[in-house]
Amino acid sequence: MTTQQQDVTDLIELVESVPARELEAAVAARPGGLDAALTLLFDLLVSEFNPEKAGGEKGTFQFDIACDAGRKLYSVHVEDGTCTSSRGLHEAPDITIGIKLPDMIAMGVGKLPGAKAFLTGKLKLSGSPLMGTKLGEWFDHPEV
């Protein structure tokens, strides 16, 4: 098992064993804290990108993650069959995804389907509604 796989497994165990209201503190107490966990999730998302499913389309997803320490901003950019992520605010995202940190972690490790998060109000979208569907279409994200 790679370090990334072990770290994802550890996050899954936290999501399954720690109440959502305590998840942020539990993740913050881990080595690297919240930033390390979010970097892990976005690296995982990039690794799940399927260029065949994107079919040459492009787009930028801005994530605005609410946490006790403020907001964490990450963007995921798809273009020319490649996918990259970066910290911070993108100048012109196609869609912005607002979500609380515990829900982002649960969604990132496959314990909260994106559609369910949206339908239950845990995930808020602004920008192109069509781009909101692309996260489910362009990425091979297993839900466990």
Side-chain angles (χ1 to χ4, degrees), residues 45 48-55 57 61 78 114-115 129-141 143:
L45 183 62
E48 295 168 342
F49 174 65
N50 185 330
E52 291 176 11
K53 290 182 177 180
E57 293 185 69
F61 307 88
V78 171
L130 180 60
M131 282 304 293
T133 65
K134 302 302 181 184
L135 273 176
E137 293 174 13
W138 294 352
F139 296 84
D140 295 328
H141 187 66
E143 293 174 0

Side-chain angles (χ1 to χ4, degrees), residues 100-112:
K100 292 180 181 175
L101 182 79
D103 298 321
M104 180 67 203
I105 292 171
M107 194 170 70
V109 297
K111 290 295 183 179
L112 175 62

Side-chain angles (χ1 to χ4, degrees), residues 14-15 17-25 101-103 106 122:
L14 279 177
V15 168
S17 64
V18 175
R21 67 185 177 282
E22 298 172 16
L23 187 59
E24 182 172 338
L101 182 79
D103 298 321
K122 293 180 177 184

Side-chain angles (χ1 to χ4, degrees), residues 56-140:
E57 293 185 69
K58 67 178 186 172
T60 302
F61 307 88
Q62 177 71 58
F63 289 81
D64 186 341
I65 305 161
C67 58
D68 292 340
R71 294 167 45 214
K72 301 284 185 180
L73 301 171
Y74 286 78
S75 63
V76 174
H77 182 72
V78 171
E79 187 170 9
D80 296 328
T82 63
C83 180
T84 58
S85 70
S86 60
R87 281 189 194 178
L89 184 62
H90 189 275
E91 68 226 24
D94 295 290
I95 190 164
T96 299
I97 299 153
I99 191 167
K100 292 180 181 175
L101 182 79
D103 298 321
M104 180 67 203
I105 292 171
M107 194 170 70
V109 297
K111 290 295 183 179
L112 175 62
K116 182 177 181 180
F118 177 72
L119 292 172
T120 58
K122 293 180 177 184
L123 183 146
K124 309 268 191 241
L125 302 176
S126 61
S128 168
L130 180 60
M131 282 304 293
T133 65
K134 302 302 181 184
L135 273 176
E137 293 174 13
W138 294 352
F139 296 84
D140 295 328

